[in-house]
Amino acid sequence: MQIIEATVFGVRSAIFRFDSIDRLSSFTLFPMIHVADKSFYDDVLERLADCDVILTEGVRTKTGTLLTASYRYFTKNPKLGLVLQSTMSLDDLDADIRHADVASNDFSKKWAELPFFQRFLIPVLAPIYGLYLRFFGTREAIGKRMNLDLHDHNNAILDDNEAFEKIEKIVLDWRDEHLIGIINDHMQQAEGDKRSIGIVFGARHMRAVIHHLREQNYKVTASDWVNVIRY
């Protein structure tokens, strides 16, 4: 199952709707890319209008600000024509919008447990990488790193490097577990109430969500592609 597809024409994200014959609640997954064409976020917003509840991500810490600095830096390159996900405002939607990520204080405590080298290296490298893309990056170079399916790892900075395994457990696995707990809560709350729940999280978190929904006897009943970046 392809979640993010990168081709010679551009990058697109798969939107999945999951339903179960055992439960009234349905879940629609919106695998997010944190930098994209503005049209991508406009399309996602339009689709989110059909959701009753929206589960969103976001951890506001000093470390998180440094980790995402690369995005902010290379969107300032006018030749790329890309914008940040933060430009997508959910405020005008009628849905019940709920933060489903870990608390900022909890994230900071987890991060502080990492060895010194791991705790400070990535926050330093991320802005440097962002500056490189700002001056030398292309849409194709950025897009080709986004390919992601249900089973294989993409070639993100944390992949295939044992030195950063603990970082990935915090940034990805631990947050996945928290999100799944929130999903379970909504499954139970919606037993007597038919609701459409949208999950707006980074694409790499969707692997764990898809596996969990399948384990709960949910199946894909609809899917569609949304263009993320066009070349």
Side-chain angles (χ1 to χ4, degrees):
M1 178 185 288
Q2 198 74 24
I3 299 173
I4 301 293
E5 182 181 62
T7 70
V8 295
F9 302 106
V11 180
R12 58 183 187 171
S13 174
I15 309 297
F16 299 107
R17 177 187 169 100
F18 282 81
D19 289 278
S20 170
I21 61 173
D22 303 322
R23 294 185 173 90
L24 291 175
S25 58
S26 67
F27 292 87
T28 303
L29 276 52
F30 296 87
M32 298 304 294
I33 299 296
H34 301 312
V35 175
D37 288 329
K38 183 179 182 300
S39 59
F40 169 63
Y41 301 121
D42 291 341
D43 200 335
V44 169
L45 271 177
E46 184 176 344
R47 294 166 187 262
L48 283 171
D50 295 328
C51 296
D52 301 307
V53 179
I54 299 174
L55 306 181
T56 64
E57 68 179 326
V59 179
R60 297 183 179 276
T61 65
K62 291 181 179 179
T63 298
T65 299
L66 289 172
L67 289 173
T68 58
S70 60
Y71 305 144
R72 296 192 302 277
Y73 286 165
F74 68 75
T75 54
K76 293 181 180 180
N77 182 343
K79 294 182 179 179
L80 293 177
L82 302 174
V83 300
L84 291 167
Q85 181 181 338
S86 58
T87 63
M88 184 182 75
S89 175
L90 306 180
D91 294 341
D92 293 332
L93 296 176
D94 292 331
D96 180 7
I97 300 170
R98 303 188 183 184
H99 182 257
D101 213 328
V102 299
S104 298
N105 288 342
D106 292 338
F107 183 88
S108 296
K109 290 176 182 178
K110 279 278 188 181
W111 192 265
E113 296 173 0
L114 290 171
F116 178 87
F117 172 78
Q118 297 173 359
R119 191 165 68 246
F120 289 100
L121 180 62
I122 294 299
V124 169
L125 290 179
I128 294 174
Y129 179 63
L131 286 171
Y132 169 80
L133 291 176
R134 177 178 179 179
F135 294 106
F136 304 106
T138 64
R139 293 166 72 90
E140 292 84 354
I142 294 169
K144 72 179 182 180
R145 299 183 63 86
M146 295 182 179
N147 204 58
L148 177 72
D149 66 29
L150 186 58
H151 302 292
D152 297 331
H153 286 288
N154 65 351
N155 55 352
I157 190 171
L158 299 184
D159 287 337
D160 302 322
N161 193 327
E162 293 182 3
F164 298 111
E165 182 179 351
K166 291 183 179 179
I167 293 178
E168 184 164 286
K169 286 183 177 179
I170 294 175
V171 174
L172 190 65
D173 299 344
W174 175 52
R175 293 169 66 205
D176 287 348
E177 292 174 3
H178 183 84
L179 173 59
I180 287 171
I182 300 294
I183 290 172
N184 287 339
D185 290 342
H186 282 279
M187 284 183 185
Q188 296 172 4
Q189 293 171 6
E191 287 301 326
D193 183 17
K194 185 176 180 62
R195 291 191 297 177
S196 174
I197 301 170
I199 302 178
V200 185
F201 262 71
R204 296 190 73 204
H205 295 282
M206 294 304 176
R207 287 194 184 115
V209 174
I210 291 171
H211 284 306
H212 182 68
L213 290 176
R214 284 178 166 179
E215 290 173 355
Q216 300 300 314
N217 296 320
Y218 276 82
K219 298 183 183 299
V220 176
T221 56
S223 62
D224 198 6
W225 288 105
V226 180
N227 289 314
V228 177
I229 298 176
R230 296 175 187 261
Y231 298 156

